[in-house]
Amino acid sequence: MPAYDDRSDIRAVPVHHHPSWAEDTPEWGIETLLSHVGTLTDPTTGAITTPIHLSTAFGHPGLRQSTGYDYARTATPTRDVLQDALARLDGGAAGFATSSGMAAVQLVVEALAQHGSRIVALEDLYGGSFRYLQVLKEEGAYDVDFVFGEDELRTALQTPAALVLIETPTNPMMATFDVDAVAELAHAAGALLAVDNTFYTPVNLRPLEHGADVALSSGTKYLGGHNDVSAGTIVVADPRLGERLQYRINTTGATLDPFSSFLLLRGMKTLALRMEKHEANAKEVAAFLESSEHVTRVLYPGRSGMISFDLAQDVDIAVFLESVRVFTFAESLGGVESLVTCPSVQTHADVPPETREKYGLTDRLLRLSVGIETAADLVTDLRQALEAGAAAAA
Ligand SMILES: *Cc1c(COP(=O)(O)O)cnc(C)c1O
């Protein structure tokens, strides 16, 4: 039984739902659900897309009466539509939209794990999540245990914990985990399992269906999909956890604003289609990299659009990064445009070099976010940049 059951000291309030969405629950497939997110949520106008309600204050019909909306930090109609869509996509009881992916990680940690409790997290998490948990550990706020791989995770969970945080696949090493198995281990240790599902999205994996208590993600990446909105998402299976998150987010305020909520809803409408093309392109790019003499290792889990690979010693990494034309050397992922990242100097620069080395994140590892361009153009671009890098190093 998870430890939160007896943690009555953690405050909770009811979660607000947008009425017109919550009542309507047909058994749709994920493509239908996605293309319809936010559709027909305004009964007064029949608007096909979700209106952006910018109002921060809402009038009360009378004393102790409310339309359901009081103040924007607590709830806004636009964010509610998004949150209900998130909950539904992941099959959860409640969804939350935060101002960034890191705000989602912070909310989950601080609302669901009591100060001083033990957290078990993967050592090869996204660099920002690792840095945040490292800070909490150094400050003595939590007893954080970093583990690498399933064996270390299993050993760590022989000792009770409050929260387990994993990614599958991990960023950027692409290690995948059996969520059902990890959930069993976590629950046996009295811990909640939170899965950062940024890379797979609900199109490829719905962690709650595999026993996870919390699915979270950086909406900045695939959900938004266009590199134009910073957001985070959280979905919980148990409504009591939703009440704790609602209390905390209303108290601390890292909520998603109405315009960003609209952008995320708009991006999500094409998520299924985009994921299909990201994956088809990634398979072609991975096959090309496997065949290249300038590449020594390719890490691709076979789904979604993220690939990591090691450049051979005969390629000048700086020249390679300056030579790409279809790919852009930049620090994000999940958008329609292809990006290439050098984790050791960008996303994972704050992970100590010896830790990075231990889990195989070398200085020659590059991470690709494969976009939705013409696959042949992506392969041609990588080929010419590898050749340019090799010529420069010769
Ligand atoms: C980017 C990312 C985050 C952080 O999200 P932000 O929106 O940048 O705050 C968390 N987890 C993973 C796996 C990420 O890729």
Side-chain angles (χ1 to χ4, degrees):
M1 184 56 68
Y4 66 81
D5 276 337
D6 44 27
R7 289 216 304 275
S8 52
D9 54 307
I10 296 185
R11 291 167 205 259
V13 294
V15 176
H16 194 258
H17 295 281
H18 193 278
S20 59
W21 181 282
E23 286 158 16
D24 166 43
T25 55
E27 293 294 312
W28 282 344
I30 190 137
E31 284 130 324
T32 313
L33 279 178
L34 281 166
S35 56
H36 282 250
V37 293
T39 298
L40 289 177
T41 54
D42 179 13
T44 58
T45 63
I48 293 297
T49 60
T50 306
I52 304 173
H53 290 279
L54 292 173
S55 192
T56 53
F58 298 85
H60 302 301
L63 188 65
R64 296 188 212 290
Q65 288 177 18
S66 169
T67 62
Y69 295 98
D70 306 310
Y71 186 60
R73 176 161 25 77
T74 311
T76 69
T78 314
R79 190 167 85 241
D80 268 1
V81 170
L82 170 62
Q83 294 190 152
D84 286 343
L86 292 169
R88 196 157 174 214
L89 280 173
D90 260 308
F96 296 87
T98 58
S99 56
S100 71
M102 286 317 303
V105 174
Q106 183 191 21
L107 187 67
V108 166
V109 168
E110 296 182 23
L112 303 184
Q114 221 179 330
H115 237 230
S117 64
R118 179 161 178 267
I119 296 173
V120 175
L122 297 182
E123 197 166 48
D124 52 335
L125 287 178
Y126 165 69
S129 303
F130 176 87
R131 175 175 58 194
Y132 165 61
L133 292 171
Q134 186 70 34
V135 166
L136 293 180
K137 181 179 176 158
E138 282 168 13
E139 291 174 347
Y142 289 88
D143 171 14
V144 185
D145 223 341
F146 291 107
V147 296
F148 180 68
E150 201 158 329
D151 287 345
E152 283 189 27
L153 188 61
R154 189 176 297 276
T155 306
L157 289 175
Q158 283 163 4
T159 309
L163 181 70
V164 178
L165 177 61
I166 67 164
E167 289 169 8
T168 184
T170 57
N171 176 1
M173 300 310 293
M174 307 296 167
T176 56
F177 284 83
D178 175 345
V179 177
D180 292 280
V182 177
E184 210 164 292
L185 290 173
H187 294 160
L192 296 169
L193 173 63
V195 177
D196 182 332
N197 197 31
T198 301
F199 276 25
Y200 272 173
T201 82
V203 171
N204 286 304
L205 175 72
R206 285 177 293 283
L208 305 188
E209 290 177 4
H210 296 277
D213 303 282
V214 183
L216 63 98
S217 84
S218 169
T220 315
K221 315 293 171 54
Y222 283 113
L223 294 196
H226 296 75
N227 291 318
D228 57 8
V229 57
S230 204
T233 73
I234 304 169
V235 179
V236 289
D238 184 332
R240 290 170 300 174
L241 296 183
E243 289 167 8
R244 285 169 193 196
L245 291 170
Q246 178 60 36
Y247 182 86
R248 191 76 178 202
I249 198 167
N250 185 46
T251 303
T252 52
T255 56
L256 196 64
D257 68 274
F259 186 62
S260 297
S261 296
F262 170 82
L263 283 177
L264 205 60
L265 282 164
R266 176 167 151 135
M268 284 163 63
K269 283 177 172 287
T270 57
L271 180 67
L273 202 53
R274 285 187 285 111
M275 293 312 287
E276 225 176 280
K277 180 66 171 160
H278 283 300
E279 186 170 307
N281 279 356
K283 284 181 173 160
E284 296 211 22
V285 168
F288 162 71
L289 292 172
E290 290 279 4
S291 73
S292 171
E293 55 179 328
H294 302 304
V295 172
T296 55
R297 179 173 64 158
V298 180
L299 305 170
Y300 178 57
R303 282 191 286 167
S304 194
M306 299 300 298
I307 303 171
S308 293
F309 68 100
D310 280 323
L311 276 182
Q313 293 295 340
D314 73 337
V315 182
D316 184 312
I317 189 164
V319 172
F320 172 85
L321 290 170
E322 285 158 21
S323 301
V324 287
R325 292 288 172 271
V326 184
F327 281 85
T328 301
F329 175 35
E331 190 160 353
S332 192
L333 67 103
V336 292
E337 309 91 348
S338 291
L339 303 183
V340 54
T341 301
C342 183
S344 62
V345 299
Q346 294 178 301
T347 53
H348 291 65
D350 284 340
V351 178
E354 56 285 4
T355 304
R356 274 191 255 130
E357 222 128 274
K358 181 184 146 201
Y359 66 70
L361 202 181
T362 68
D363 292 347
R364 304 194 65 76
L365 183 137
L366 297 176
R367 192 192 72 188
L368 301 180
S369 172
V370 179
I372 63 166
E373 301 94 335
T374 306
D377 292 343
L378 296 172
V379 168
T380 303
D381 190 42
L382 291 173
R383 182 182 288 120
Q384 64 80 23
L386 285 168
E387 280 162 10

